[in-house]
Amino acid sequence: MTTMLLMLAASGEGGDASPFAVNFGLFFWTWLVFLALMFLLQKFAFPAILKATEDREQTIARQLDEAAKANAEAKALLEENRKLLAAARGQAQALVAEAKTAVEKERSTAIDKTRHEQEELLERARREIAAEREKALTDLRREAVDLSLAVAGKLIGQKLDGASDRSLVEGYLASLERVQ
Amino acid sequence: MMLQEAVNVGEMVLHHTADACSIDVYKWAWHIPGCHLNYPIDATLAPTKHVVFLFIAATLVFLTLWTAARSIAKTKTGHAPKGFAGAVEGLVLWVRNDIAIANIGHGGARFAPLIITLFFFILYGNLLGLLPHGSSPTGNLAVTAALAILVFLVIEIAGFIKLGPKGYLATIFPHFPGLHGPGAVAMAIFMSPIEVLGKLVKPFALAVRLFGNMTAGHFVILSLFGIVFLFGHLGVWSWGIGIGTALLVVGIMGLELIVALLQAYVFALLSSVFIGLMQHEH
């Protein structure tokens, strides 16, 4: 142990060895070694490392771009879908509303028509009834005139069928009707 | 023989942080062929311990990034690598995006290879010094200065290319808004030494900061080991001193791990900031 330490301490050229000495020969060696190292690295190491990283950077950038594009596309699609859906909904609602109003209109016109027909029928019936009644009355009146003339003829023993007789009875009947 | 008499702690600390001509592993010492060192200033191209560790650091950086790159190249396109390659890729991209491009600004990607290499090279250089028998080439002023000069050249040359001759001259002879005529010329001339100094101070700070942090860390660790040499002879207390020293050194080692990463980060960051400042000078 001791000898080793002594040897360590005593190694070197001896004398004035100092880290502050300057050996100009080392300038040359440093430049030679450094420039050779840089040259070799430029030739064998840096291109591979930098190319790989640049490739990777490009790949990542491209993937990011693609992702952004896909995202934008998806967003646009979603927006379009939403718009389409909204439009479809609007259309459906419009269709339903239209159908509803059409039905409503149809129904009201149908009701109107029915009512109208009904009224017409009623009116006609009324008119016919009135006409029948009028006719029946006229018949009855003529019958009554004939009957009364016949009765009166029997009573006075002569035949009463002249126009004057007739108007007499008719006038009487009319007065009766007026009294009624 | 008592240890404290045989060992001069101060000298030991300097020895172990200084460059050397032999690499010591356990009890074997390998003398680097052709190596010789003169202190304090040397200018020979003879390889030294730090040169060897520069090569080791560069080899480790290359192996790390190359293995990761191979593994990444095999990964399916668009998928992130896993495990080791994933970790390395994360670090490389962090340095590239958050240090280089974030601080250089527009056009920063062109400087990313330089900044990434700087970061990893310095990080590995720092970490090598923490290994047993290892040594930090980044703890050598010549190495950090060489790296800083490289960064300085990149700052100025890239700036010149970007700004053009006229724009570049404006970074030395500044134009003050609202100043015209001879006053503007005088100010530009008076300010030019300060501008030039500003340019030189940046790489100087880079070099000294890295060197200082690495060397200081090693000083602290070695000085704490010095406690063993100084007080190890106190028989009764020797165990306590050994355990206490070990605990202290482990703590500082943890700190040094952080510093190793931090200083590599700071060097890369400031280099990016300085390049960016020059690129966007108007």
Side-chain angles (χ1 to χ4, degrees), chain B residues 126 210 213-214 217 254-265:
Chain B
N126 294 349
L210 183 57
N213 273 283
M214 287 307 109
L255 189 71
E256 281 304 299
L257 277 176
I258 299 171
V259 171
L261 191 75
L262 188 74
Q263 287 308 317
Y265 169 69

Side-chain angles (χ1 to χ4, degrees), chain B residues 82-135:
Chain B
K82 289 189 176 66
F84 176 72
V88 172
E89 193 208 69
L91 261 179
V92 169
L93 290 183
W94 171 64
V95 177
R96 178 178 182 263
N97 297 331
D98 292 342
I99 297 181
I101 294 174
N103 288 296
I104 297 173
H106 186 67
R110 277 188 306 136
F111 299 96
L114 172 79
I115 303 296
I116 298 169
T117 314
L118 268 177
F119 175 80
F120 279 96
F121 189 53
I122 293 169
L123 177 66
Y124 277 47
N126 294 349
L127 290 174
L128 279 178
L130 299 180
L131 291 177
H133 306 294
S135 173

Side-chain angles (χ1 to χ4, degrees), chain A residues 6 8 11 14 16-19 21-31 33-34 37-38 42 45-46 50 52-53 56, chain B residues 6 15-18 24 39-42 44-45 51 58 69 72 79 81 89 93 96 114 117 121 140 142 146 149-150 211:
Chain A
L6 281 173
L8 277 174
S11 62
D16 305 303
S18 154
V22 176
N23 180 358
F24 286 100
L26 264 176
F27 279 74
F28 162 77
W29 286 109
T30 307
W31 287 329
V33 171
F34 183 83
L37 174 66
M38 201 163 93
Q42 271 284 50
F46 292 149
L50 294 183
T53 44
R56 204 176 324 139
Chain B
H15 260 302
H16 282 272
T17 47
D24 310 314
Y39 298 111
I41 288 187
D42 199 347
T44 55
L45 289 180
V51 173
I72 287 165
H79 287 254
E89 193 208 69
L93 290 183
R96 178 178 182 263
L114 172 79
T117 314
F121 189 53
N140 188 311
I149 287 168
L150 208 65
F211 162 72

Side-chain angles (χ1 to χ4, degrees), chain B residues 256-279:
Chain B
E256 281 304 299
L257 277 176
I258 299 171
V259 171
L261 191 75
L262 188 74
Q263 287 308 317
Y265 169 69
V266 165
F267 199 101
L269 178 80
L270 288 179
S271 300
S272 305
V273 169
F274 295 153
I275 293 171
L277 275 178
M278 197 63 178
Q279 290 288 299

Side-chain angles (χ1 to χ4, degrees), chain B residues 21-39:
Chain B
C21 266
S22 68
I23 292 172
D24 310 314
V25 176
Y26 190 46
K27 52 186 176 181
W28 299 283
W30 176 54
H31 186 89
I32 298 155
C35 176
H36 58 84
L37 270 170
N38 301 313
Y39 298 111

